[in-house]
Amino acid sequence: MQGGGVPFTRQTQYWERLWLPITSKHMARGVIEAGERFGQKIYERLRQEIKAAPVVQLDETPFQVLDLDQSHGYFWSACSTEEFSPCQVSYFHYSPSRSGKVITEILGDDFSGGIMCDGFSGYSDNRLPEAYWETCLVHINCQFKRLLDPKITRFQGQSISHRKTVEIFISK
């Protein structure tokens, strides 16, 4: 039986019908072990490419995990850029933490390139003093919208520059 695209829970039912009981947890463990054994060199090579990139786009997203000690973790994504790198690389890293120390786990302590990120406080000059920090335009736009929110600001509509900024950054 090929396992491509068939959930482990369904595969367990198939194997039980053949009198070969195996749990989905055992199958998942086998996939993880195979990935660790055969994929580790590729994974490290991708990480080295990311560390060598002059500009890296970095982001993290929460992820629910089925671990007894923890209910969620984070997938971190690091990508080189088409504009600054000869080859585009995407590197994914799992961590139970959203802490800024994960950034140095991915990029190393001596990364000196540009890091394009969303401005999360974990992205800190203290961890990578040689790096320079950039913010993508989407996140800058969100900050402008927040700044120009009449519920937050007290000066709504009081100047031409404010009205023009609203026209540019607030789509209706």
Side-chain angles (χ1 to χ4, degrees), residues 53-140:
V55 176
V56 173
Q57 297 168 329
L58 196 59
D59 200 8
E60 79 292 329
T61 190
F63 183 78
Q64 186 175 358
V65 294
L66 302 175
D67 190 345
L68 298 176
D69 299 332
Q70 197 165 335
S71 62
H72 69 277
Y74 295 89
F75 270 116
W76 290 72
S77 165
C79 301
S80 61
T81 60
E82 184 177 347
E83 297 82 6
F84 298 103
S85 299
C87 62
Q88 284 67 62
V89 174
S90 295
Y91 176 83
F92 299 95
H93 178 81
Y94 172 78
S95 175
S97 171
R98 191 180 183 208
S99 164
K101 71 178 184 172
V102 178
I103 299 165
T104 55
E105 290 173 15
I106 295 170
L107 298 175
D109 294 328
D110 59 346
F111 184 77
S112 61
I115 299 174
M116 185 173 288
C117 58
D118 60 9
F120 162 59
S121 62
Y123 300 110
S124 167
D125 292 351
N126 298 335
R127 293 204 180 272
L128 295 170
E130 300 299 316
Y132 55 94
W133 303 89
E134 306 165 348
T135 302
C136 71
L137 292 176
V138 170
H139 287 97
I140 292 172

